[in-house]
Amino acid sequence: MDARVDIYALGTLLFEMLAGEAPHAGPTPQSVMSRVITTEARSVASVRPLVPAHIAAAIAKALARNPADRFSTVDEFVAALEPSVLHDRGGGPRTDSVSGISASRHGHSTPILLTVALVALALGFFAGRLSTP
């Protein structure tokens, strides 16, 4: 076991925070475990279509069934959750490479605030769990 187990748990937590339900559901704990082992998690965007594409993609990668397909470190996961707001030299908007969303210098800050809040909540949750014996 390595950090990818924690990344899976963090992906599950973020999925539940955004969707209001678990990525795998079933009537019994055994059926949930069976689904975790045999099926890919559904996309958070399928439950909440307004979730930014780069956030949905990062959560999907964190929830990959094969641990080798997940992020190797929490830093990689956090970086994937951050929006890529870049501008060309002329000052015009440039499309976000992950989500395909056009970002402008004076655009809405809501996705950025959402990302920061989610990351802060998740990191606070895991910091609390790590400090508890």
Side-chain angles (χ1 to χ4, degrees):
M1 287 195 181
D2 61 8
R4 289 175 279 210
V5 172
D6 293 332
I7 290 169
Y8 184 90
L10 181 57
T12 300
L13 176 70
L14 289 175
F15 187 104
E16 288 187 37
M17 288 171 60
L18 290 170
E21 54 192 63
H24 296 282
T28 65
Q30 294 82 5
S31 66
V32 172
M33 287 303 299
S34 174
R35 289 182 180 151
V36 167
I37 293 168
T38 61
T39 62
E40 291 292 333
R42 59 197 163 136
S43 170
V44 70
S46 70
V47 181
R48 297 283 185 245
L50 295 178
V51 171
H54 72 282
I55 301 254
I59 291 172
K61 184 170 181 171
L63 294 176
R65 280 187 19 221
N66 183 354
D69 294 336
R70 297 180 199 146
F71 296 101
S72 298
T73 66
V74 173
D75 289 338
E76 289 177 6
F77 189 19
V78 170
L81 292 170
E82 295 174 354
S84 173
V85 180
L86 303 172
H87 301 277
D88 62 20
R89 289 192 176 158
R94 185 169 160 187
T95 301
D96 182 312
S97 61
V98 176
S99 67
I101 297 172
S102 177
S104 69
R105 219 174 272 238
H106 303 289
H108 298 287
S109 61
T110 303
I112 294 170
L113 294 175
L114 174 64
T115 301
V116 170
L118 288 174
V119 171
L121 282 170
L123 292 177
F125 173 79
F126 279 104
R129 289 185 56 132
L130 293 175
S131 64
T132 306

Short mmCIF file of all heavy atoms in Angstrom, two decimals, residues 67-118:
data_model
loop_
_atom_site.label_atom_id
_atom_site.label_comp_id
_atom_site.label_asym_id
_atom_site.label_seq_id
_atom_site.Cartn_x
_atom_site.Cartn_y
_atom_site.Cartn_z
N PRO A 67 -4.48 0.98 -9.23
CA PRO A 67 -3.71 2.00 -8.52
C PRO A 67 -2.63 2.67 -9.38
O PRO A 67 -2.33 3.85 -9.18
CB PRO A 67 -3.08 1.22 -7.36
CG PRO A 67 -4.00 0.08 -7.13
CD PRO A 67 -4.52 -0.28 -8.50
N ALA A 68 -2.08 1.97 -10.33
CA ALA A 68 -1.05 2.55 -11.21
C ALA A 68 -1.62 3.65 -12.09
O ALA A 68 -0.86 4.50 -12.57
CB ALA A 68 -0.43 1.46 -12.07
N ASP A 69 -2.93 3.68 -12.27
CA ASP A 69 -3.57 4.71 -13.10
C ASP A 69 -3.94 5.95 -12.29
O ASP A 69 -4.38 6.94 -12.86
CB ASP A 69 -4.83 4.15 -13.76
CG ASP A 69 -4.51 3.06 -14.77
OD1 ASP A 69 -3.38 3.03 -15.28
OD2 ASP A 69 -5.41 2.23 -15.03
N ARG A 70 -3.77 5.91 -10.99
CA ARG A 70 -4.09 7.05 -10.12
C ARG A 70 -2.91 8.01 -10.04
O ARG A 70 -1.81 7.71 -10.51
CB ARG A 70 -4.43 6.58 -8.71
CG ARG A 70 -5.65 5.70 -8.66
CD ARG A 70 -5.93 5.25 -7.24
NE ARG A 70 -6.80 4.09 -7.27
CZ ARG A 70 -6.75 3.08 -6.42
NH1 ARG A 70 -5.90 3.10 -5.42
NH2 ARG A 70 -7.57 2.06 -6.54
N PHE A 71 -3.12 9.16 -9.43
CA PHE A 71 -2.04 10.09 -9.16
C PHE A 71 -1.04 9.41 -8.22
O PHE A 71 -1.43 8.66 -7.33
CB PHE A 71 -2.57 11.37 -8.50
CG PHE A 71 -3.50 12.15 -9.38
CD1 PHE A 71 -4.87 12.07 -9.19
CD2 PHE A 71 -3.02 12.95 -10.40
CE1 PHE A 71 -5.74 12.78 -9.99
CE2 PHE A 71 -3.88 13.66 -11.21
CZ PHE A 71 -5.25 13.57 -11.01
N SER A 72 0.23 9.71 -8.40
CA SER A 72 1.26 9.11 -7.54
C SER A 72 1.37 9.83 -6.21
O SER A 72 1.74 9.22 -5.20
CB SER A 72 2.62 9.15 -8.23
OG SER A 72 2.58 8.40 -9.41
N THR A 73 1.07 11.12 -6.20
CA THR A 73 1.20 11.90 -4.97
C THR A 73 -0.03 12.81 -4.81
O THR A 73 -0.72 13.11 -5.78
CB THR A 73 2.44 12.79 -4.99
OG1 THR A 73 2.30 13.78 -6.02
CG2 THR A 73 3.71 11.97 -5.21
N VAL A 74 -0.24 13.26 -3.60
CA VAL A 74 -1.32 14.20 -3.33
C VAL A 74 -1.05 15.52 -4.05
O VAL A 74 -1.97 16.18 -4.54
CB VAL A 74 -1.51 14.42 -1.81
CG1 VAL A 74 -2.51 15.52 -1.52
CG2 VAL A 74 -1.95 13.13 -1.14
N ASP A 75 0.23 15.90 -4.15
CA ASP A 75 0.58 17.14 -4.86
C ASP A 75 0.10 17.10 -6.31
O ASP A 75 -0.38 18.09 -6.84
CB ASP A 75 2.09 17.38 -4.82
CG ASP A 75 2.57 17.77 -3.44
OD1 ASP A 75 1.76 18.24 -2.62
OD2 ASP A 75 3.78 17.59 -3.17
N GLU A 76 0.26 15.95 -6.97
CA GLU A 76 -0.22 15.81 -8.35
C GLU A 76 -1.75 15.97 -8.41
O GLU A 76 -2.28 16.60 -9.32
CB GLU A 76 0.16 14.45 -8.93
CG GLU A 76 1.62 14.28 -9.21
CD GLU A 76 1.94 12.88 -9.72
OE1 GLU A 76 1.00 12.07 -9.95
OE2 GLU A 76 3.13 12.58 -9.88
N PHE A 77 -2.43 15.39 -7.44
CA PHE A 77 -3.89 15.47 -7.38
C PHE A 77 -4.32 16.92 -7.18
O PHE A 77 -5.19 17.43 -7.88
CB PHE A 77 -4.41 14.56 -6.28
CG PHE A 77 -5.91 14.38 -6.24
CD1 PHE A 77 -6.72 14.65 -7.33
CD2 PHE A 77 -6.52 13.90 -5.09
CE1 PHE A 77 -8.10 14.46 -7.28
CE2 PHE A 77 -7.89 13.71 -5.02
CZ PHE A 77 -8.68 14.00 -6.12
N VAL A 78 -3.70 17.60 -6.23
CA VAL A 78 -4.03 19.00 -5.97
C VAL A 78 -3.78 19.85 -7.20
O VAL A 78 -4.60 20.70 -7.56
CB VAL A 78 -3.25 19.54 -4.75
CG1 VAL A 78 -3.39 21.04 -4.60
CG2 VAL A 78 -3.70 18.83 -3.48
N ALA A 79 -2.66 19.62 -7.89
CA ALA A 79 -2.34 20.39 -9.10
C ALA A 79 -3.40 20.17 -10.17
O ALA A 79 -3.77 21.09 -10.90
CB ALA A 79 -0.97 20.01 -9.62
N ALA A 80 -3.92 18.95 -10.27
CA ALA A 80 -4.96 18.66 -11.27
C ALA A 80 -6.28 19.33 -10.92
O ALA A 80 -7.09 19.60 -11.81
CB ALA A 80 -5.15 17.15 -11.39
N LEU A 81 -6.51 19.61 -9.64
CA LEU A 81 -7.74 20.27 -9.23
C LEU A 81 -7.71 21.77 -9.46
O LEU A 81 -8.75 22.41 -9.54
CB LEU A 81 -8.01 20.00 -7.74
CG LEU A 81 -8.37 18.58 -7.37
CD1 LEU A 81 -8.38 18.41 -5.85
CD2 LEU A 81 -9.69 18.16 -7.97
N GLU A 82 -6.53 22.32 -9.60
CA GLU A 82 -6.39 23.76 -9.81
C GLU A 82 -6.68 24.10 -11.26
O GLU A 82 -6.18 23.45 -12.17
CB GLU A 82 -4.98 24.21 -9.44
CG GLU A 82 -4.67 24.05 -7.98
CD GLU A 82 -3.23 24.35 -7.64
OE1 GLU A 82 -2.42 24.58 -8.56
OE2 GLU A 82 -2.91 24.35 -6.45
N PRO A 83 -7.48 25.15 -11.47
CA PRO A 83 -7.76 25.53 -12.86
C PRO A 83 -6.53 26.14 -13.51
O PRO A 83 -5.72 26.78 -12.85
CB PRO A 83 -8.88 26.56 -12.73
CG PRO A 83 -8.75 27.09 -11.35
CD PRO A 83 -8.17 25.98 -10.52
N SER A 84 -6.39 25.90 -14.79
CA SER A 84 -5.26 26.44 -15.54
C SER A 84 -5.74 27.68 -16.26
O SER A 84 -6.35 27.60 -17.31
CB SER A 84 -4.76 25.39 -16.53
OG SER A 84 -3.78 25.94 -17.36
N VAL A 85 -5.49 28.86 -15.68
CA VAL A 85 -5.91 30.12 -16.28
C VAL A 85 -4.68 30.77 -16.88
O VAL A 85 -3.85 31.32 -16.17
CB VAL A 85 -6.58 31.05 -15.24
CG1 VAL A 85 -7.02 32.34 -15.89
CG2 VAL A 85 -7.75 30.35 -14.58
N LEU A 86 -4.56 30.63 -18.18
CA LEU A 86 -3.40 31.16 -18.90
C LEU A 86 -3.86 32.15 -19.94
O LEU A 86 -4.98 32.09 -20.45
CB LEU A 86 -2.64 30.02 -19.58
CG LEU A 86 -2.15 28.90 -18.65
CD1 LEU A 86 -1.58 27.76 -19.47
CD2 LEU A 86 -1.11 29.43 -17.68
N HIS A 87 -2.99 33.06 -20.29
CA HIS A 87 -3.31 34.06 -21.30
C HIS A 87 -2.20 34.10 -22.32
O HIS A 87 -1.04 33.89 -22.01
CB HIS A 87 -3.47 35.45 -20.66
CG HIS A 87 -4.54 35.48 -19.62
ND1 HIS A 87 -5.86 35.63 -19.94
CD2 HIS A 87 -4.50 35.33 -18.28
CE1 HIS A 87 -6.58 35.60 -18.84
NE2 HIS A 87 -5.79 35.42 -17.82
N ASP A 88 -2.58 34.40 -23.56
CA ASP A 88 -1.55 34.55 -24.57
C ASP A 88 -0.87 35.90 -24.41
O ASP A 88 -1.28 36.72 -23.61
CB ASP A 88 -2.14 34.37 -25.98
CG ASP A 88 -3.20 35.42 -26.32
OD1 ASP A 88 -3.23 36.49 -25.68
OD2 ASP A 88 -3.98 35.15 -27.23
N ARG A 89 0.18 36.15 -25.16
CA ARG A 89 0.95 37.39 -25.02
C ARG A 89 0.13 38.63 -25.32
O ARG A 89 0.42 39.70 -24.81
CB ARG A 89 2.18 37.33 -25.90
CG ARG A 89 3.18 36.36 -25.37
CD ARG A 89 4.48 36.52 -26.07
NE ARG A 89 5.42 35.61 -25.43
CZ ARG A 89 6.49 35.18 -25.98
NH1 ARG A 89 6.81 35.55 -27.20
NH2 ARG A 89 7.28 34.36 -25.34
N GLY A 90 -0.89 38.51 -26.12
CA GLY A 90 -1.71 39.66 -26.46
C GLY A 90 -2.72 40.00 -25.38
O GLY A 90 -3.46 40.95 -25.51
N GLY A 91 -2.77 39.25 -24.31
CA GLY A 91 -3.70 39.54 -23.22
C GLY A 91 -5.07 38.92 -23.42
O GLY A 91 -5.93 39.07 -22.57
N GLY A 92 -5.28 38.24 -24.52
CA GLY A 92 -6.57 37.62 -24.77
C GLY A 92 -6.73 36.33 -24.00
O GLY A 92 -5.77 35.77 -23.49
N PRO A 93 -7.95 35.85 -23.90
CA PRO A 93 -8.18 34.61 -23.16
C PRO A 93 -7.60 33.42 -23.90
O PRO A 93 -7.52 33.41 -25.12
CB PRO A 93 -9.70 34.51 -23.07
CG PRO A 93 -10.20 35.33 -24.20
CD PRO A 93 -9.19 36.42 -24.42
N ARG A 94 -7.18 32.45 -23.15
CA ARG A 94 -6.66 31.22 -23.72
C ARG A 94 -7.47 30.08 -23.14
O ARG A 94 -7.82 30.10 -21.96
CB ARG A 94 -5.19 31.09 -23.34
CG ARG A 94 -4.52 29.91 -23.96
CD ARG A 94 -3.03 30.03 -23.76
NE ARG A 94 -2.43 28.73 -23.93
CZ ARG A 94 -1.17 28.48 -23.69
NH1 ARG A 94 -0.38 29.43 -23.28
NH2 ARG A 94 -0.70 27.28 -23.87
N THR A 95 -7.75 29.07 -23.92
CA THR A 95 -8.58 27.97 -23.47
C THR A 95 -7.82 27.10 -22.47
O THR A 95 -6.65 26.80 -22.65
CB THR A 95 -9.01 27.11 -24.66
OG1 THR A 95 -9.72 27.94 -25.55
CG2 THR A 95 -9.90 25.97 -24.23
N ASP A 96 -8.49 26.72 -21.41
CA ASP A 96 -7.92 25.82 -20.42
C ASP A 96 -7.62 24.50 -21.09
O ASP A 96 -8.48 23.90 -21.74
CB ASP A 96 -8.95 25.65 -19.29
CG ASP A 96 -8.46 24.77 -18.17
OD1 ASP A 96 -7.94 23.68 -18.46
OD2 ASP A 96 -8.62 25.16 -17.01
N SER A 97 -6.41 24.00 -20.93
CA SER A 97 -5.99 22.80 -21.65
C SER A 97 -6.70 21.54 -21.19
O SER A 97 -6.82 20.59 -21.93
CB SER A 97 -4.47 22.61 -21.51
OG SER A 97 -4.14 22.45 -20.15
N VAL A 98 -7.18 21.51 -19.95
CA VAL A 98 -7.83 20.30 -19.45
C VAL A 98 -9.33 20.33 -19.72
O VAL A 98 -9.90 19.39 -20.23
CB VAL A 98 -7.56 20.14 -17.93
CG1 VAL A 98 -8.31 18.95 -17.39
CG2 VAL A 98 -6.08 20.01 -17.67
N SER A 99 -9.98 21.44 -19.39
CA SER A 99 -11.43 21.46 -19.46
C SER A 99 -11.99 22.04 -20.74
O SER A 99 -13.16 21.86 -21.04
CB SER A 99 -11.99 22.26 -18.28
OG SER A 99 -11.64 23.62 -18.41
N GLY A 100 -11.16 22.76 -21.50
CA GLY A 100 -11.65 23.39 -22.72
C GLY A 100 -12.45 24.63 -22.45
O GLY A 100 -13.10 25.17 -23.32
N ILE A 101 -12.42 25.15 -21.22
CA ILE A 101 -13.17 26.34 -20.84
C ILE A 101 -12.32 27.56 -21.14
O ILE A 101 -11.14 27.60 -20.81
CB ILE A 101 -13.54 26.31 -19.35
CG1 ILE A 101 -14.46 25.11 -19.07
CG2 ILE A 101 -14.18 27.61 -18.92
CD1 ILE A 101 -14.71 24.89 -17.60
N SER A 102 -12.92 28.56 -21.74
CA SER A 102 -12.20 29.79 -22.01
C SER A 102 -12.16 30.62 -20.74
O SER A 102 -13.18 30.83 -20.09
CB SER A 102 -12.89 30.57 -23.13
OG SER A 102 -12.23 31.79 -23.35
N ALA A 103 -10.97 31.07 -20.37
CA ALA A 103 -10.81 31.86 -19.15
C ALA A 103 -10.33 33.25 -19.52
O ALA A 103 -9.48 33.41 -20.38
CB ALA A 103 -9.80 31.19 -18.24
N SER A 104 -10.87 34.25 -18.89
CA SER A 104 -10.43 35.61 -19.15
C SER A 104 -9.83 36.19 -17.89
O SER A 104 -10.05 35.71 -16.79
CB SER A 104 -11.59 36.47 -19.65
OG SER A 104 -12.50 36.68 -18.61
N ARG A 105 -9.10 37.26 -18.06
CA ARG A 105 -8.41 37.91 -16.94
C ARG A 105 -9.41 38.39 -15.89
O ARG A 105 -9.12 38.39 -14.71
CB ARG A 105 -7.61 39.07 -17.47
CG ARG A 105 -6.30 39.24 -16.82
CD ARG A 105 -5.55 40.32 -17.53
NE ARG A 105 -4.82 39.73 -18.62
CZ ARG A 105 -3.53 39.80 -18.77
NH1 ARG A 105 -2.82 40.49 -17.92
NH2 ARG A 105 -2.93 39.21 -19.77
N HIS A 106 -10.57 38.82 -16.32
CA HIS A 106 -11.57 39.34 -15.39
C HIS A 106 -12.77 38.42 -15.30
O HIS A 106 -13.89 38.86 -15.08
CB HIS A 106 -12.01 40.75 -15.83
CG HIS A 106 -10.85 41.68 -15.93
ND1 HIS A 106 -10.18 42.15 -14.83
CD2 HIS A 106 -10.23 42.22 -17.01
CE1 HIS A 106 -9.20 42.94 -15.21
NE2 HIS A 106 -9.20 43.00 -16.53
N GLY A 107 -12.55 37.12 -15.48
CA GLY A 107 -13.64 36.15 -15.47
C GLY A 107 -14.12 35.87 -14.06
O GLY A 107 -13.65 36.44 -13.08
N HIS A 108 -15.07 34.99 -13.95
CA HIS A 108 -15.65 34.65 -12.66
C HIS A 108 -14.64 33.87 -11.83
O HIS A 108 -13.93 33.02 -12.33
CB HIS A 108 -16.92 33.82 -12.85
CG HIS A 108 -17.98 34.56 -13.60
ND1 HIS A 108 -18.69 35.58 -13.02
CD2 HIS A 108 -18.43 34.46 -14.87
CE1 HIS A 108 -19.55 36.06 -13.91
NE2 HIS A 108 -19.41 35.40 -15.02
N SER A 109 -14.59 34.15 -10.54
CA SER A 109 -13.66 33.46 -9.66
C SER A 109 -14.31 32.29 -8.94
O SER A 109 -13.67 31.63 -8.15
CB SER A 109 -13.09 34.45 -8.64
OG SER A 109 -14.13 34.98 -7.84
N THR A 110 -15.57 32.00 -9.21
CA THR A 110 -16.27 30.93 -8.51
C THR A 110 -15.59 29.57 -8.66
O THR A 110 -15.40 28.88 -7.66
CB THR A 110 -17.74 30.85 -8.98
OG1 THR A 110 -18.34 32.12 -8.77
CG2 THR A 110 -18.50 29.79 -8.22
N PRO A 111 -15.19 29.13 -9.87
CA PRO A 111 -14.51 27.83 -9.96
C PRO A 111 -13.21 27.79 -9.16
O PRO A 111 -12.89 26.78 -8.55
CB PRO A 111 -14.25 27.66 -11.45
CG PRO A 111 -15.24 28.53 -12.13
CD PRO A 111 -15.44 29.69 -11.19
N ILE A 112 -12.49 28.89 -9.12
CA ILE A 112 -11.24 28.93 -8.37
C ILE A 112 -11.55 28.81 -6.88
O ILE A 112 -10.91 28.04 -6.16
CB ILE A 112 -10.46 30.22 -8.68
CG1 ILE A 112 -10.00 30.20 -10.13
CG2 ILE A 112 -9.27 30.38 -7.74
CD1 ILE A 112 -9.44 31.51 -10.63
N LEU A 113 -12.53 29.55 -6.41
CA LEU A 113 -12.90 29.48 -5.00
C LEU A 113 -13.41 28.10 -4.63
O LEU A 113 -13.11 27.58 -3.55
CB LEU A 113 -13.94 30.54 -4.67
CG LEU A 113 -13.49 32.00 -4.79
CD1 LEU A 113 -14.67 32.94 -4.55
CD2 LEU A 113 -12.37 32.29 -3.82
N LEU A 114 -14.19 27.47 -5.51
CA LEU A 114 -14.68 26.13 -5.26
C LEU A 114 -13.52 25.15 -5.14
O LEU A 114 -13.48 24.34 -4.22
CB LEU A 114 -15.62 25.69 -6.39
CG LEU A 114 -16.12 24.25 -6.34
CD1 LEU A 114 -16.99 24.04 -5.10
CD2 LEU A 114 -16.90 23.91 -7.59
N THR A 115 -12.57 25.25 -6.03
CA THR A 115 -11.41 24.37 -6.00
C THR A 115 -10.62 24.56 -4.72
O THR A 115 -10.26 23.59 -4.05
CB THR A 115 -10.51 24.62 -7.22
OG1 THR A 115 -11.27 24.39 -8.40
CG2 THR A 115 -9.31 23.70 -7.21
N VAL A 116 -10.35 25.80 -4.37
CA VAL A 116 -9.59 26.08 -3.14
C VAL A 116 -10.34 25.56 -1.92
O VAL A 116 -9.74 24.94 -1.03
CB VAL A 116 -9.32 27.60 -3.02
CG1 VAL A 116 -8.77 27.95 -1.65
CG2 VAL A 116 -8.37 28.05 -4.12
N ALA A 117 -11.64 25.77 -1.87
CA ALA A 117 -12.43 25.30 -0.73
C ALA A 117 -12.41 23.77 -0.64
O ALA A 117 -12.25 23.21 0.45
CB ALA A 117 -13.87 25.80 -0.84
N LEU A 118 -12.58 23.10 -1.77
CA LEU A 118 -12.57 21.63 -1.76
C LEU A 118 -11.22 21.08 -1.32
O LEU A 118 -11.15 20.15 -0.52
CB LEU A 118 -12.92 21.09 -3.15
CG LEU A 118 -14.37 21.25 -3.57
CD1 LEU A 118 -14.55 20.81 -5.01
CD2 LEU A 118 -15.27 20.45 -2.66
#
